[in-house]
């Protein structure tokens, strides 16, 4: 695979991972309200949330894996664990490492949910509220397409979706007409 192809697929898989993480966060927020979402039963929304989460992990693994082999990105395995130590845009790359580390914590605790108990799982699951904006900031700061019109539109839709879901989630039922 050529260097250009690695770079292109690495960027593209990062964008897809961001969109899927956004879908997962939005659905996670919506299921917590306890009301049906768009007429769908809660279990259906929960399943889509879970599947979008798993798919986002796959695309994130592609994103990271492809960029490990791309000489332009200069990503090292060390950079996947230790934030802000990278050679390429260290602050922004470090945010990506922080988001990755938080996502790993979410995945591991979700896999061990039955053994951890609901309270512990829920406490760790709140990390999604920290992970998502860090991932958005990473994509805006390190992405070479960060200020292209198409990416800004995707980022704006992602931000609007999460803010809209959070606003809907935290409104009181009495205020909703």
């Amino acid at each position: 695979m050529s260097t250009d192809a690695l770079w292109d697929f690495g960027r593209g898989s990062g964008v897809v991972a961001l969109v899927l993480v956004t879908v997962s966060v939005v659905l996670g927020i919506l299921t917590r309200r306890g009301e049906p979402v768009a007429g769908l039963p809660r279990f259906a929304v929960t399943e889509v949330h879970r599947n979008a989460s798993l798919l986002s992990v796959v695309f994130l693994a592609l994103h990271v894996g492809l960029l490990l082999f791309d000489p332009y990105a200069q990503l090292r395995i060390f950079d996947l664990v230790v934030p802000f130590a990278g050679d390429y845009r260290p602050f922004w790359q470090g945010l990506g490492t922080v988001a990755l580390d938080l996502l790993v914590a979410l995945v591991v605790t979700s896999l061990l949910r039955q053994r951890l108990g609901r309270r512990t799982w829920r406490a760790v699951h709140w990390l999604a509220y920290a992970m998502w904006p860090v991932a958005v900031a990473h994509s805006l700061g390190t992405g070479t397409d960060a200020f292209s019109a198409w990416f800004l539109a995707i980022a704006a839709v992602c931000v609007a979706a999460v803010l809209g879901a959070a606003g809907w989630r935290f409104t009181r039922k009495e205020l909703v007409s």
Side-chain angles (χ1 to χ4, degrees):
M1 190 175 283
S2 77
T3 300
D4 289 344
L6 285 172
W7 185 244
D8 291 340
F9 285 122
R11 288 177 10 233
S13 58
V15 173
V16 173
L18 178 64
V19 170
L20 288 168
V21 165
T22 299
V23 168
S24 178
V25 169
V26 166
L27 293 175
I29 291 169
L30 296 179
T31 59
R32 288 298 309 141
R33 178 137 178 200
E35 296 177 7
V37 178
L40 296 173
R42 187 172 173 183
F43 78 88
V45 177
T46 301
E47 282 302 311
V48 175
H49 163 70
R50 194 171 293 139
N51 289 326
S53 299
L54 290 171
L55 200 52
S56 72
V57 170
V58 169
F59 275 91
L60 183 62
L62 278 171
H63 173 63
V64 170
L66 290 167
L67 293 179
L68 276 171
F69 294 103
D70 181 21
Y72 182 73
Q74 302 171 16
L75 191 62
R76 305 167 298 189
I77 293 176
F78 180 78
D79 300 327
L80 304 180
V81 180
V82 180
F84 312 109
D87 294 329
Y88 179 78
R89 298 181 183 172
F91 176 76
W92 301 109
Q93 185 178 328
L95 290 178
T97 301
V98 169
L100 174 66
D101 293 346
L102 291 172
L103 185 64
V104 167
L106 288 166
V107 169
V108 168
T109 56
S110 291
L111 292 173
L112 298 173
R113 183 177 182 174
Q114 300 304 322
R115 294 177 185 234
L116 294 174
R118 187 164 179 79
R119 181 176 287 167
T120 302
W121 173 81
R122 181 170 281 161
V124 175
H125 219 71
W126 276 89
L127 291 175
Y129 290 107
M131 181 270 308
W132 180 82
V134 171
V136 172
H138 162 73
S139 65
L140 289 169
T142 197
T144 52
D145 298 311
F147 295 103
S148 63
W150 68 268
F151 184 77
L152 288 174
I154 289 172
V157 168
C158 288
V159 170
V162 170
L163 292 177
W168 181 80
R169 162 69 175 93
F170 293 112
T171 57
R172 296 182 63 206
K173 289 182 183 180
E174 295 83 32
L175 298 177
V176 179
S177 43

